[in-house]
Each structure stands twice: as structure tokens, then as C-alpha cells.
């Protein structure tokens, strides 16, 4: 399969576009993403993919200077799912979409979509930034 890996088991193998997006995260702790599922879930209560999605969204929000907000996705500045997953492999885009649902159910983000098949707008909530800080 062609495309960028967002949920690779070993972060150093990621494409340079994703590395640029996650540069701050990787510099902070390059070995974190290499822990196995049991270690990741045991230390934070989140799955490896949920942790990766938290980092991806928080890093993208910081890169776009989008502050966490309690406002709805229609009222606040938001991230674009299409922009984040643009060059991702299909299976990683699906994984990220699933993790959006998980994070929405835990009130880490708010999401909106104007119509079926349209872009999903993602608003980070303060809880997302807190989680990103606690798992760093």
C-alpha cells in the first residue's frame, strides 16, 4: 500500500511529511511510540492508537495555532480531517477516523460534518491538551 503511515509501530520509519507534523512530539520522547500496547494502556488507560491520535491531533492543533475550546465545532477554529489524513495510507486514515469517534465519546474533541462525504471538522477540547501533556 502506498501512502504515509500515521500509526506505524516504529515512528522513525514514518514519512517526512508526518515527521514534520509530529516533530515536537518525537523530539520530546522518540521511544514512546515504540512501547507495546500493554505498556501504553497500563500507563495511561488509552490504547496505543488512541495515544497516537491524541498526539497527532494535539500536534496539528499547535502547528495551526488552534487553542482548545469548549465551543462547538461550528463556532470554534477547527482542524480538517482531510488535511491531517491527506497523505495517509487508507488503513491509517480509517484508524484515525475510528480514534476520532473514541475521542469524541470521551469529550476530548468535538466534531462536525456539514454533509455526508464532506470533510470532518475537529475542535480540540482542553481535555485533549491535558491528555497530550500527561502521556508525553
Amino acid at each position: 500500500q502506498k501512502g504515509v503511515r500515521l500509526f506505524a509501530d516504529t515512528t522513525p520509519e514514518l514519512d517526512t511529511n508526518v515527521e514534520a507534523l509530529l516533530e515536537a512530539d518525537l523530539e520530546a520522547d522518540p521511544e514512546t511510540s515504540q512501547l507495546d500496547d500493554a505498556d501504553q494502556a497500563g500507563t495511561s488507560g488509552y490504547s496505543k492508537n488512541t495515544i497516537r491520535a491524541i498526539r497527532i491531533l494535539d500536534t496539528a492543533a499547535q502547528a495551526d495555532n488552534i487553542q482548545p475550546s469548549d465551543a462547538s465545532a461550528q463556532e470554534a477554529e477547527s482542524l480538517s480531517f482531510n488535511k491531517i489524513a491527506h497523505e495517509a495510507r487508507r488503513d491509517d486514515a480509517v484508524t484515525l477516523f475510528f480514534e476520532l469517534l473514541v475521542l469524541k465519546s470521551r469529550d476530548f474533541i468535538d466534531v462536525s460534518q456539514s454533509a455526508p462525504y464532506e470533510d470532518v471538522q475537529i475542535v480540540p477540547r482542553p481535555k485533549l491538551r491535558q491528555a497530550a501533556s500527561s502521556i508525553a
Side-chain angles (χ1 to χ4, degrees):
Q1 287 186 359
K2 293 182 180 181
V4 175
R5 294 302 316 248
L6 295 178
F7 292 90
D9 289 331
T10 55
T11 305
E13 295 174 6
L14 290 174
D15 182 80
T16 56
N17 292 332
V18 175
E19 285 182 18
L21 178 66
L22 302 173
E23 185 175 324
D25 174 46
L26 295 176
E27 287 176 5
D29 190 359
E31 296 181 9
T32 302
S33 64
Q34 295 179 16
L35 296 175
D36 65 0
D37 288 341
D39 288 341
Q40 294 266 349
T43 59
S44 67
Y46 309 120
S47 74
K48 178 176 69 172
N49 285 343
T50 301
I51 290 170
R52 195 72 180 139
I54 288 169
R55 287 192 175 135
I56 289 168
L57 294 174
D58 186 60
T59 302
Q62 289 183 35
D64 288 350
N65 201 27
I66 296 174
Q67 297 301 314
S69 173
D70 285 324
S72 71
Q74 293 86 3
E75 300 168 354
E77 288 185 280
S78 60
L79 298 167
S80 162
F81 175 78
N82 287 347
K83 182 179 174 185
I84 294 171
H86 174 69
E87 294 183 14
R89 287 175 37 157
R90 186 177 190 149
D91 58 336
D92 284 346
V94 169
T95 299
L96 180 59
F97 184 80
F98 174 79
E99 293 302 333
L100 291 181
L101 301 177
V102 170
L103 294 171
K104 170 64 176 157
S105 72
R106 294 181 179 185
D107 201 33
F108 282 57
I109 59 172
D110 191 26
V111 296
S112 69
Q113 186 178 31
S114 60
Y117 305 104
E118 292 293 320
D119 192 15
V120 175
Q121 298 301 309
I122 307 159
V123 175
R125 300 235 184 225
K127 200 171 176 182
L128 180 76
R129 181 70 45 89
Q130 292 168 353
S133 298
S134 70
I135 58 177

